[in-house]
Amino acid sequence: MAAVGDLHCRDDQHGRFRQLVKQVNASADLLLLCGDLTDRGMLEEGKVLAEELSALRVPCAAVLGNHDYEHGQVKDICSELSKVGVHILDGDHFIFEKVLGVAGVKGFGGGFGNATLQAFGEGQTKAFVQEAVTESLKLEAALSHLDTPKKVVIMHYAPIPETLEGENIEIRPFLGTSRLSMPIDHYGAAYVFHGHAHHGAREGKTKSGIPVFNVAMPLLTKFTPEQRFALMEV
């Protein structure tokens, strides 16, 4: 599997991902995209990315990120990407060759462990917490319907704090929440991939020991500029 997030494709970047697609075709059987596919959530950006991904010769499953929602054009962006075979997951799953199930959600923020934000006080706070709860329930539903021998999870926000090490501590609660790790630990998975944390750490583990990888492209570029995606075998 090749996995990467935070492509932040812009409408003036024709050809930017040509080499990445070529490398994925040569080295992977499946591509997983972990959100922020576009830079400002514009349809034209989605069209450029679809053009880039049209050269893929392997299946592709993806989730959206916060940037993809910026201009309220999510449906149109998803439509463009679906034309080139990208499977956008939002609380559902994708089956690869009957042996690997990919469960995907965008995720949300809210903090971790004992510092997880609770639904108390103002309505705005309750709504914020509810969004994280909803994303966690969507992931639970996706995983509960998977009966494949192996499972992986993709999301945009982080399910553990360890992969946020390196980000400003003040913004870490907005980059993910441990609510997302609960269904993962309950149902199990071989790997979890997320993006969003451009300055975070590359890997960590959930409480039950499931490996979690931060595959934000800006982070991967710092360590492996010649290969801007993670490559894992399942």
Side-chain angles (χ1 to χ4, degrees):
M1 300 176 299
V4 63
D6 301 84
L7 281 68
H8 291 280
C9 183
R10 299 198 302 267
D11 56 5
D12 60 350
Q13 293 183 323
H14 296 270
R16 177 187 169 197
F17 301 108
R18 190 171 297 151
Q19 180 63 19
L20 182 144
V21 169
K22 182 178 180 180
Q23 289 178 316
V24 169
N25 284 338
S27 59
D29 301 302
L30 174 68
L31 175 61
L32 306 175
L33 299 177
C34 297
D36 278 2
L37 311 180
T38 62
D39 193 47
R40 295 176 297 150
M42 303 289 287
L43 175 57
E44 288 304 314
E45 296 173 337
K47 288 182 176 180
V48 171
L49 183 58
E51 176 186 304
E52 300 286 280
L53 296 178
S54 65
L56 266 179
R57 297 197 302 267
V58 300
C60 179
V63 294
L64 300 179
N66 56 307
H67 278 246
D68 300 313
Y69 282 81
E70 171 63 16
H71 276 88
Q73 299 181 12
V74 164
K75 289 184 178 180
D76 292 332
I77 291 171
C78 290
S79 177
E80 287 298 319
L81 293 173
S82 68
K83 292 177 183 178
V84 295
V86 178
H87 301 270
I88 303 293
L89 305 181
D90 184 21
D92 46 352
H93 61 264
F94 171 73
I95 305 295
F96 176 67
E97 294 189 350
K98 299 182 180 180
V99 296
L100 177 67
V102 182
V105 294
K106 173 178 62 65
F108 202 62
F112 301 90
N114 293 333
T116 302
L117 187 64
Q118 301 300 312
F120 182 85
E122 299 95 324
Q124 293 89 337
T125 299
K126 293 177 181 177
F128 187 91
V129 172
Q130 185 58 52
E131 183 68 16
V133 172
T134 298
E135 290 294 301
S136 176
L137 290 173
K138 285 160 62 174
L139 179 57
E140 180 179 359
L143 285 169
S144 69
H145 287 93
L146 279 178
D147 58 1
T148 49
K150 296 186 178 181
K151 296 175 281 189
V152 297
V153 175
I154 58 175
M155 59 181 66
H156 184 59
Y157 287 78
I160 60 171
E162 287 79 6
T163 50
L164 301 180
E165 291 290 338
E167 294 284 356
N168 289 336
I169 194 168
E170 292 86 356
I171 69 168
R172 292 182 195 177
F174 301 99
L175 299 178
T177 177
S178 53
R179 295 183 190 275
L180 295 167
S181 68
M182 296 175 186
I184 297 169
D185 281 331
H186 180 76
Y187 287 99
Y191 300 112
V192 180
F193 300 101
H194 75 83
H196 201 31
H198 295 196
H199 306 288
R202 288 192 288 179
E203 60 185 276
K205 292 184 178 180
T206 68
K207 285 185 177 181
S208 68
I210 295 172
V212 178
F213 294 92
N214 176 2
V215 294
M217 183 178 285
L219 179 67
L220 295 179
T221 301
K222 296 176 185 177
F223 295 96
T224 55
E226 72 286 352
Q227 178 182 289
R228 295 177 295 162
F229 56 87
L231 192 64
M232 308 294 295
E233 185 173 341
V234 179

